[in-house]
Amino acid sequence: MELPDFDAMNSTLETAVGDYPVCQAWREGAEDSVFQLANIFLVLGFMGGSGLYGLLYMLTLLTLGFFCATVWSWEDACTTDGFLWNFALFGVCVGQLVHVSYRLRIVTFDKEFQELYNCMFKKLGVSLSHFGKVVACCDGDLQTLEKDHCFAMEGKTAIEKLSVLLSGRMVVTVNGEFLHYIHPFQFLDSPEWDSLRPSEEGVFQVTLRAESRCRYVAWRRKKLYLLFAKHRYIAKVFALVVRNDIAEKLFSLNDKAFDSSGHRYDLRLPSYCHVPKPDLDKSDALLHVPVQPAAK
């Protein structure tokens, strides 16, 4: 076996290295202040956080950084390609900055819709852009119900919308018996909404009557379900606020309806919304399990 020719290999390596320029000496002075400022902006920009506001912070500093780098490249005649790249990146950052700023633009609503957002949706972190889609789903319309007029009649009114009371107060009754009040920024029909599937239909099992002049917003079921299909985030938000509203109603009940056996139950619960009276009587009878006396 022949040994490799190390002298030939060394001469080849020296030739290859000689083909590339070697830095003979470093510059004694630093680059000008514009170059230093550009890099400071870039470092701070890449430290931006998440979310739209974090993106706005990052793009603002990157825009300033690439602008300074473009100015520095323009002053140096030997960096034409550097100028073009920095200018292109500056243009991209400006475009993204304008886009993010547009998404964060101030969205204004009517006073009552703004109060609805502040009371129910803002605390959940819902953005104004998402809330704007919710308002657009009801066409921005507000409904008025005069005093002693009924929003829903027991056993007659179809469940075809979801509504939130904005002002006034409503009273909920069943068979003429008082159940509870509905106050502003509470749903009018959250138990009925939650008791039905999208393909099901039903009627109210309670009567809702305006105790004073009321204003409310209503969303049609079909339009709201179409909105949920397009925006899953909005669907999750509504599921949360509707079920939270149901829980608050259950805890705030002052009186409950009684069945013929004297048992207390709430007809507003989903399990009772569509149960016929004979079936309800059978379910009550099942609760009466006779107690056998202890054997002596």
Side-chain angles (χ1 to χ4, degrees), residues 2-14:
E2 297 182 358
L3 294 176
D5 189 355
F6 292 104
D7 294 335
M9 294 176 61
N10 290 337
S11 61
T12 303
L13 182 60
E14 290 176 359

Side-chain angles (χ1 to χ4, degrees), residues 100-167:
V100 174
S101 300
Y102 175 77
R103 293 176 61 186
L104 288 174
R105 72 191 188 281
I106 299 177
V107 182
T108 58
F109 303 101
D110 293 340
K111 179 182 178 182
E112 288 165 305
F113 281 113
Q114 190 64 44
E115 291 177 351
L116 175 64
Y117 172 75
N118 293 334
C119 292
M120 295 185 62
F121 294 94
K122 185 177 181 179
K123 59 186 177 182
L124 299 177
V126 178
S127 65
L128 289 174
S129 59
H130 280 107
F131 183 70
K133 295 180 175 64
V134 175
V135 174
C137 184
C138 68
D139 298 324
D141 294 334
L142 297 176
Q143 310 294 328
T144 302
L145 192 65
E146 299 297 335
K147 181 179 179 181
D148 293 330
H149 287 206
C150 289
F151 173 82
M153 296 290 293
E154 180 180 348
K156 296 181 179 180
T157 306
I159 304 171
E160 55 185 14
K161 55 188 175 182
L162 180 65
S163 309
V164 176
L165 184 64
L166 300 178
S167 63

